[in-house]
Amino acid sequence: MKKGPIILILLFSCLALASCSRPASGENVAPPVQFQQYVPPGRPERPLTGLLDDRAHEPYFPASQDLARPSEGLTRGEAASILYTLLGEKPPPAEKAHFQDIPEHAWYREAAEALGELGALDPLGTQFAGDYVVTRSEFTWLLAQFFPFETGGEAFSDVPVEHWAYAAIETGSALGWFQGDSFRPDDPLTRAEAAVIVNRALGRRPDQTTLASACQVMLFTDLPPSHWSYGDIMEAALPHEHGEDGRWRTYHTSEASRAPGCYLLNGELYCVQENGCYARNTQVGRLAFDESGRYTTGLPELDEQLTQLVQAKTVEEWPLALNLRFLYNYICNNFDYLPAGMVEAEEEDWEAEFALEMLERGKGNCYSYAGLFTVLARKLGYQAWGVSGDFCNSFQEWTTHGWVEIEINGEILLCDPEIEGVYAPNRGLEWDLYLKRYGETPTTYFLDGIVYGEEPD
């Protein structure tokens, strides 16, 4: 059944993606440049002490495309950006570049060169390796350069006295940056952990009361309010004014960096509205979005299965139309027919329940096929709905039937996965019923008192 062209399209798409792929943010894409112990004998006062601003609460969390990426490793470029943003006074531009490996238009170039001018990165020599992920030891060493030496912190079982960053880790421990019995000095530092450590170092505390009363601000699509680092990242990223007690007086939610429209991110659908904000606790056409800004069918179990299915059967980099066709073919080719309940012509919002039963049984009738394709199409951002009417063809008398309608560019098109996937093959027919106009198919439909197509004699 018409699989050849789709398979070739998918194959060429995969080859194109592979040839153009780049390392994702947070990967160790550069050879490590090892920090070195940089503590003069006697531990004199550090010259950078007090240069970080702990009063203004400026946003400092590096992010783009409305993604916090909390579990990804913090790169050296991002670490430099954080420290540079927090400087109370920025140093004048350096007369000559400190690092030989920073591209001229690298987004972190200004930050790295400024820190180099201050001497904060002297142990790195002339190689910055901005895309290399910092370890917990390395970031602690960087941050500790801006604080006086402290002793008496809790010792960590996995940080011996002879460790190259022992003095910095001891300082951070004494100042309350860390908790726990082990430090994991060689582990990559995640972006979420960086926000927590910096907030503690600067005495910045997230205003959980304000965040809760503000219906839990949505700033990043991959950071739900339930995430353990939600408060700290919001403190680090959300512009706000605070009082002496640290409580927020006001805060400012910026518009989404993405243009208005729907976006599929890691199997979840989000929608930026015309006002620049993500849709939350609202409906956009036939698409419902929950408190976290994610599309929902209203059935949590179904939502979870749809997310897993979309993650497994689609590729975000592919055009939505290609992913939609792939999901349509998947439904046509991977489920069996099983008689089930019928839907009255005027009945609405039946799609989700039929879809859930279809996934649980692996079988279903026309309404099951239509229901599953409807919610999957919506999961990709399409305005789709199931309809119940009648159909016939040259050798089939009128019979009750369910199919799908999708609005694309103002036009209503039909999809009929059960007829294409079961009815036609059982009769040795190869019918294409995907995104067709009424009257262009070998089937005739009756809906809302209107006959669509040629009625058989």
Side-chain angles (χ1 to χ4, degrees):
M1 290 178 56
K2 305 182 292 301
K3 296 181 183 177
I6 294 300
I7 292 174
L8 287 176
I9 291 173
L10 297 178
L11 176 59
F12 287 129
S13 299
C14 289
L15 291 174
L17 287 171
S19 64
C20 299
S21 62
R22 298 179 179 179
S25 175
E27 289 188 15
N28 294 349
V29 297
V33 179
Q34 181 62 58
F35 282 80
Q36 303 169 7
Q37 176 69 302
Y38 195 63
V39 182
R43 296 186 174 184
E45 190 71 14
R46 291 169 175 168
L48 303 181
T49 297
L51 294 187
L52 299 185
D53 186 355
D54 60 356
R55 297 181 61 82
H57 286 213
E58 290 292 330
Y60 65 82
F61 192 75
S64 62
Q65 292 297 299
D66 307 324
L67 297 173
R69 299 181 283 113
S71 300
E72 290 189 17
L74 185 81
T75 66
R76 286 184 174 178
E78 291 169 339
S81 173
I82 288 174
L83 296 176
Y84 178 71
T85 301
L86 292 171
L87 288 174
E89 293 185 10
K90 306 296 189 289
E95 294 183 1
K96 64 177 182 179
H98 289 266
F99 303 105
Q100 299 174 354
D101 64 333
I102 300 181
E104 183 178 353
H105 299 294
W107 69 271
Y108 56 80
R109 181 182 179 85
E110 181 180 0
E113 291 293 351
L115 293 178
E117 184 73 6
L118 289 174
L121 305 176
D122 283 354
L124 295 181
T126 61
Q127 303 297 312
F128 181 66
D131 293 325
Y132 186 72
V133 173
V134 297
T135 65
R136 291 169 58 84
S137 295
E138 290 168 344
F139 186 75
T140 301
W141 187 95
L142 281 173
L143 185 60
Q145 306 314 300
F146 296 88
F147 293 84
F149 287 114
E150 296 286 346
T151 60
E154 292 292 329
F156 296 107
S157 59
D158 53 356
V159 183
V161 175
E162 60 272 17
H163 190 281
W164 69 269
Y166 181 85
I169 295 171
E170 184 182 32
T171 294
S173 177
L175 293 175
W177 299 356
F178 315 114
Q179 297 176 351
D181 299 326
S182 62
F183 183 74
R184 297 176 285 114
D186 297 324
D187 281 5
L189 180 81
T190 68
R191 289 163 53 83
E193 291 171 337
V196 172
I197 292 172
V198 172
N199 285 344
R200 290 174 181 171
L202 298 180
R204 294 174 56 164
R205 299 185 303 276
D207 188 342
Q208 302 287 9
T209 301
T210 297
L211 286 172
S213 64
C215 299
Q216 300 175 322
V217 176
M218 179 180 174
L219 195 61
F220 303 109
T221 58
D222 58 348
L223 189 74
S226 58
H227 194 277
W228 68 269
S229 68
Y230 172 80
D232 274 289
I233 291 182
M234 297 301 283
E235 167 65 38
L238 190 66
H240 61 272
E241 288 82 40
H242 69 286
E244 292 299 324
D245 59 355
R247 291 286 300 276
W248 294 0
R249 291 174 176 168
T250 60
Y251 67 89
H252 313 282
T253 302
S254 58
E255 293 184 0
S257 63
R258 299 175 185 271
C262 289
Y263 297 92
L264 188 66
L265 305 171
N266 195 29
E268 300 289 359
L269 182 74
Y270 301 86
C271 179
V272 178
Q273 302 175 97
E274 291 299 326
N275 62 4
C277 297
Y278 279 94
R280 296 176 61 211
N281 294 321
T282 189
Q283 193 145 331
V284 179
R286 295 176 183 267
L287 309 179
F289 294 89
D290 63 16
E291 187 177 73
S292 296
R294 298 173 177 175
Y295 163 73
T296 178
T297 63
L299 301 177
E301 183 180 353
L302 177 59
D303 289 344
E304 182 178 352
Q305 292 191 58
L306 293 181
T307 297
Q308 294 173 356
L309 187 56
V310 168
Q311 288 174 336
K313 302 298 181 181
T314 68
V315 177
E316 288 182 15
E317 292 82 1
W318 289 350
L320 282 179
L322 182 58
N323 280 324
L324 183 68
R325 180 73 201 225
F326 193 86
L327 290 175
Y328 179 81
N329 285 358
Y330 169 77
I331 293 175
C332 289
N333 300 329
N334 289 276
F335 294 88
D336 296 323
Y337 185 83
L338 178 70
M342 308 297 285
V343 174
E344 297 294 332
E346 67 277 4
E347 192 173 341
E348 296 182 352
D349 299 326
W350 49 266
E351 300 94 343
E353 292 185 2
F354 275 86
L356 182 58
E357 289 184 1
M358 181 76 150
L359 290 173
E360 290 175 342
R361 298 177 180 178
K363 302 177 180 180
N365 67 359
C366 57
Y367 296 100
S368 308
Y369 280 79
L372 182 55
F373 185 60
T374 294
V375 295
L376 280 172
R378 290 177 181 174
K379 186 76 167 177
L380 297 186
Y382 286 92
Q383 296 291 335
W385 56 95
V387 295
S388 180
D390 298 280
F391 100 106
C392 69
N393 56 54
S394 59
F395 54 84
Q396 168 72 57
E397 295 183 354
W398 288 107
T399 184
T400 302
H401 182 57
W403 62 97
V404 181
E405 291 183 341
I406 299 181
E407 182 177 357
I408 298 179
N409 297 326
E411 185 176 19
I412 304 299
L413 302 175
L414 71 89
C415 294
D416 202 335
E418 188 270 335
I419 294 297
E420 181 171 342
V422 179
Y423 182 95
N426 286 347
R427 292 158 177 79
L429 304 171
E430 292 189 0
W431 286 352
D432 182 4
L433 299 175
Y434 174 74
L435 294 182
K436 297 299 181 183
R437 296 181 179 87
Y438 283 105
E440 294 182 348
T441 67
T443 49
T444 301
Y445 296 89
F446 178 78
L447 183 67
D448 297 331
I450 302 174
V451 174
Y452 295 93
E454 225 176 276
E455 190 169 1
D457 295 335

